[in-house]
Amino acid sequence: MFGIYLKRELSRRKKAALVIAMGLALGIALVITVNSVSAGMQQAQDKVLKSLYGLGTDMTVTKAQAAPSGSSSGRPKFNFDAKSSGSKKQSSDRVMTQGGQTLKSSLVTEVAAQKGVSSAVGSLSLNVVKVNGSFTQGKAKSSTSSGQQGGPGGGGSTGMPQVQGGGASFDVNSYSVAGVDVSHQALGPLATSKITTGTTFTSAQTSAKVAVLSKSYAKENKYKVGSTFKISGTTYKVIGIATPDSSESTTDVYLPLKQAQTLGDAKNKVTTIYVKASDSKQISAVKTTIQKNISGTTVTTSADLASTVSGSLSTASNLATNVGKWLSIAVLVAAFLVAALLTSSAVSRRVREFGTLKALGWPSRKVTRQVVGESVVNGLLGGALGIALGLGAAYTVTAISPKLTAELGSTGGSGGPGGMGGPGGPGGAASAAKNTIDIALSAPVSVTTIALAVGLAVTGGLIAGAMGGWRASRMRPADALRSVS
């Protein structure tokens, strides 16, 4: 009886049911869209942080850059041989550590021994500035000019010799180098990339003169597996090309750690210690432990680094998190209220119907159940429409994939953008262009979001039904008789 009557009443009031369902659908669709976009923002931010850290890295340990002492400015200097005549090519490399002061390699073992630390790996970040070009020597020529001071007869006089021709043409190329602990590559600067051509380092290549290049750097300089290049006179062979898992690579060249230490004149030194915690929920406690037991260091977690990410990604994330969620809540509350008012209004127009049913022996609870049942069906219909609209909006965002930029700031600890100064966060002399990463936004819809939508649909139906049912339960059979004209 309940089902038959429910079906008949919903069929008879299609327009009213559709209005209530659409109101709920809009609110639910907005909730799904905002939640999906927020999830996409979080994924985008995670990609940015993973490009700065390494896969599985929970925090990094660095040491802030000290101020230059005395007359030393820390700026690169280049010395060229200018004694030769004619044209001669000149080339010079300046290799500098970047991202803060260097740390003793022994600190890696000390950090790994701290409570709550699962593993720790050291890395050395270098910046190489290569200058090459040529000088061309000018030629001195004397010039003859005529004038009144040329002596009797107004003859010409020989002026001072002038240098003609000559000059210099130089190209400056700057790129970043990361020293990789070849025996622990699962953690550190190379962990966020996969080798797409060639091979990665082997544990036996601790001191080998081999290199892995980022895909973008190799393409720019036309390097392939098997190619060779020089840094400060040392020749390295390319054994692999690495493609970053997300965003763009912030490191151009990867070398075995010992080779990087030799290049940077930093024997047994590292600039960054990558740390993985035993329990991701205890990262804050592990950070405190390291800072307490190893003085003079700066520990940066992903939470610290997330606060430094700015640009359109940060702006859009804030809008989705703050304005978007509050807007969706407001619209949802309004949808619930409208559904409740429309249901209550519909009950008021059904005085004769409910009064007659009560006169025939229907108890108040049965009338209430009937109204609640109709409202829940309307709510489920609105939920289905809302899920369809929300999925459509999320799919549209993913299909368009709008580009957002993430600008990497500084936490003030390591002296380099990204707050790390290691290979994942070029500092100081690194290319400024690499401090901005482009991210394609997506809007993934999770099962939890769908479950939330269904819950909201049922809740909206129950709220509307409760209000309408309460009004219907207060009707008396006499009300039906008074409504008869």
Side-chain angles (χ1 to χ4, degrees), residues 2 5-6 9-10 13 20 339-340 342-348 350 353-354 357-358 362-379 460-475:
F2 172 77
Y5 188 55
L6 179 65
E9 288 302 315
L10 289 174
R13 295 180 174 82
I20 294 173
L342 289 176
T343 302
S344 179
S345 177
V347 169
S348 299
R350 298 167 68 182
E353 175 188 344
F354 291 131
L357 289 174
K358 282 193 172 185
W362 275 41
S364 295
R365 67 176 182 276
K366 197 170 183 179
V367 175
T368 302
R369 186 184 68 173
Q370 188 68 40
V371 175
V372 172
E374 293 175 14
S375 298
V376 169
V377 172
N378 287 335
L462 289 175
I463 291 175
M467 190 168 180
W470 172 80
R471 184 150 190 179
S473 67
R474 293 173 61 85
M475 290 182 180

Side-chain angles (χ1 to χ4, degrees), residues 434-477:
K434 291 183 179 178
N435 295 335
T436 300
I437 297 177
D438 291 331
I439 298 291
L441 178 64
S442 62
V445 181
S446 64
V447 176
T448 304
T449 302
I450 298 296
L452 175 64
V454 174
L456 290 174
V458 174
T459 302
L462 289 175
I463 291 175
M467 190 168 180
W470 172 80
R471 184 150 190 179
S473 67
R474 293 173 61 85
M475 290 182 180
R476 297 173 297 172

Side-chain angles (χ1 to χ4, degrees), residues 95-98 102 105 122-128 176-182 189 201 205-211 231-232 234 236 251 253-271 423:
V95 181
M96 300 173 290
T97 58
Q98 65 174 21
T102 56
S105 296
S123 174
L124 183 69
S125 180
L126 302 174
N127 179 253
V128 180
S176 58
V177 177
V180 179
D181 187 338
V182 297
F201 303 111
Q205 292 176 321
T206 305
S207 302
K209 295 177 181 179
V210 292
I231 304 178
S232 293
T234 302
Y236 294 93
T251 301
V253 179
Y254 300 92
L255 299 177
L257 180 57
K258 287 190 175 180
Q259 279 295 321
Q261 290 170 336
T262 301
L263 273 178
D265 193 21
K267 185 178 180 180
N268 296 325
K269 299 284 186 178
V270 296
T271 50

Side-chain angles (χ1 to χ4, degrees), residues 396-410:
T396 302
V397 172
T398 303
I400 296 174
S401 296
K403 295 289 184 180
L404 298 177
T405 58
E407 296 177 3
L408 313 179
S410 173

Side-chain angles (χ1 to χ4, degrees), residues 23-236:
L24 292 173
L26 291 175
I28 291 170
L30 185 58
V31 170
I32 292 176
T33 304
V34 170
N35 274 274
S36 300
V37 171
S38 296
M41 298 289 183
Q42 186 60 50
Q43 286 186 359
Q45 187 158 312
D46 289 343
K47 287 181 180 180
V48 174
L49 298 181
K50 284 181 180 179
S51 71
L52 297 175
Y53 280 126
L55 186 64
T57 304
D58 294 317
M59 65 193 77
T60 56
V61 180
T62 56
K63 190 173 184 180
Q65 183 69 53
S69 59
S71 59
S72 174
S73 64
R75 293 191 296 268
K77 296 180 180 179
F78 299 92
N79 297 316
F80 296 103
D81 178 13
K83 297 179 181 180
S84 302
S85 59
S87 175
K88 183 179 179 182
K89 288 187 176 181
Q90 305 277 352
S91 180
S92 178
D93 289 342
R94 172 75 179 195
V95 181
M96 300 173 290
T97 58
Q98 65 174 21
Q101 295 187 56
T102 56
L103 304 167
K104 293 181 180 180
S105 296
S106 58
L107 279 180
V108 177
T109 305
E110 191 174 343
V111 170
Q114 299 300 309
K115 183 180 179 181
V117 174
S118 173
S119 57
V121 173
S123 174
L124 183 69
S125 180
L126 302 174
N127 179 253
V128 180
V129 180
K130 185 179 185 66
V131 178
N132 57 62
S134 61
F135 293 105
T136 301
Q137 188 175 18
K139 295 182 178 180
K141 292 185 178 181
S142 60
S143 60
T144 303
S145 61
S146 61
Q148 295 180 354
Q149 298 179 2
S157 65
T158 303
M160 294 295 292
Q162 295 182 354
V163 177
Q164 297 181 358
S169 176
F170 283 86
D171 176 62
V172 180
N173 179 30
S174 175
Y175 57 94
S176 58
V177 177
V180 179
D181 187 338
V182 297
S183 59
H184 299 89
Q185 297 180 54
L187 184 64
L190 195 52
T192 54
S193 300
K194 60 181 179 181
I195 305 299
T196 51
T197 307
T199 60
T200 188
F201 303 111
T202 65
S203 56
Q205 292 176 321
T206 305
S207 302
K209 295 177 181 179
V210 292
V212 171
L213 306 182
S214 70
K215 183 179 179 180
S216 58
Y217 183 76
K219 182 178 180 181
E220 179 184 354
N221 293 275
K222 299 180 180 179
Y223 288 134
K224 297 181 180 180
V225 173
S227 300
T228 59
F229 64 96
K230 288 185 178 182
I231 304 178
S232 293
T234 302
T235 302
Y236 294 93

Side-chain angles (χ1 to χ4, degrees), residues 319-330:
L319 286 174
T321 303
N322 300 322
V323 179
K325 286 190 176 181
W326 281 111
L327 179 62
S328 62
I329 291 173

